Amino acid sequence: MTILWIILANLVIGALIGLTGVAGFLLPMLYVSLGYGVQEALALSFFAFFLSGTLGSYNYHRSRQLNLANGMRLGIPSLFGAILGVWLNTRIAEGTVQILLYLVVLLSGISILLRKDRDRGTSTFPTLPVTILLGFASAVICALSGAGGPVLVMPLLVVLGVSVREAIALALFDSIFIAIPSGIGYLLACDARALLPILALSGLAHAIGVYVASCYSNMVPQGIIKRTVAICSILLALYKLFF
């Protein structure tokens, strides 16, 4: 039954990521709720984030909405930030990391609920120093807490002048750079052999959800989906924090 829940959840969360670019932050909380340790939950989640980032970036690049040069300027600092985030995680008590995870989910849900996705039509990429700081700092938080990346990076890019669709594409591409060191780091801290079957099944389900949904993202009202994700995230985080 647990395996079935994991497969179904990865299909659904993968589809939500493919449609809106967010919702990946729900995966670590799901795994913790099913009895996995924090580091096991993060290893499984970041493997899924690598797949969703790769598939989503491919689709956005194919539709010419992903600027790879800008993506690299954001992604390389994120690589180093993620390494620091994993290092910090291993030196913080598991209970504290769980609370941090639930707080990130809560704040992410509130951010999605309040954010207005108004595409300006034009897109202005931030300066190199701002990009380096954004990539590094957001990666530290994501790698430490288990947030996928887009839910933090995407709204910040929009605030800095990047159009919504390009921000989603860049955030998904950036999540690859966060996921690689994070996934490897957390997997090395676990019994990797025992996790491999779940890793394969969850990864396949997640990849199917992301790819199919991202192909039809323009046909679905994203506002309704984002509000639903936001409300569910807030309620789940509050439940975990106070009950």
Side-chain angles (χ1 to χ4, degrees):
M1 183 59 70
T2 299
I3 293 176
L4 181 60
W5 272 113
I6 289 173
I7 292 172
L8 290 174
N10 273 278
L11 276 170
V12 172
I13 294 173
L16 290 172
I17 293 174
L19 290 172
T20 67
V22 299
F25 58 90
L26 295 173
L27 270 182
M29 195 163 68
L30 165 75
Y31 286 121
V32 171
S33 300
L34 291 174
Y36 287 91
V38 169
Q39 292 186 342
E40 292 175 323
L42 294 178
L44 290 167
S45 299
F46 277 109
F47 178 69
F49 298 154
F50 171 76
L51 294 174
S52 59
T54 302
L55 292 171
S57 298
Y58 171 76
N59 280 340
Y60 276 100
H61 181 61
R62 189 174 59 177
S63 62
R64 298 183 179 181
Q65 297 182 78
L66 173 61
N67 185 313
L68 288 177
N70 288 339
M72 294 299 293
R73 294 187 187 99
L74 184 67
I76 291 174
S78 294
L79 191 71
F80 293 98
I83 293 171
L84 176 59
V86 173
W87 182 83
L88 290 172
N89 180 284
T90 60
R91 281 148 181 82
I92 298 175
E94 186 167 306
T96 303
V97 175
Q98 286 188 7
I99 293 173
L100 178 62
L101 169 61
Y102 302 145
L103 286 173
V104 169
V105 171
L106 176 62
L107 294 174
S108 298
I110 294 172
S111 170
I112 296 168
L113 195 62
L114 297 179
R115 188 174 67 243
K116 303 294 184 182
D117 287 344
R118 296 175 181 172
D119 206 326
R120 303 177 178 84
T122 59
S123 185
T124 303
F125 197 74
T127 62
L128 183 59
V130 173
T131 303
I132 292 173
L133 179 61
L134 172 62
F136 184 83
S138 61
V140 172
I141 297 171
C142 291
L144 173 59
S145 67
V151 73
L152 296 178
V153 176
M154 184 181 69
L156 291 173
L157 285 173
V158 172
V159 169
L160 291 170
V162 179
S163 65
V164 172
R165 289 207 170 273
E166 185 181 357
I168 294 173
L170 288 167
L172 284 169
F173 186 68
D174 183 54
S175 67
I176 300 172
F177 292 84
I178 298 173
I180 291 173
S182 302
I184 293 172
Y186 289 123
L187 193 61
L188 290 175
C190 306
D191 183 356
R193 188 172 298 178
L195 280 183
L196 285 179
I198 300 298
L199 202 69
L201 289 172
S202 62
L204 178 62
H206 194 82
I208 292 171
V210 170
Y211 186 79
V212 173
S214 63
C215 290
Y216 298 96
S217 61
N218 291 330
M219 301 171 60
V220 179
Q222 296 189 14
I224 295 174
I225 297 173
K226 287 185 178 181
R227 283 192 291 272
T228 302
V229 171
I231 292 169
C232 291
S233 302
I234 292 168
L235 293 176
L236 282 170
L238 289 174
Y239 176 79
K240 286 293 185 180
L241 284 169
F242 296 107
F243 296 98

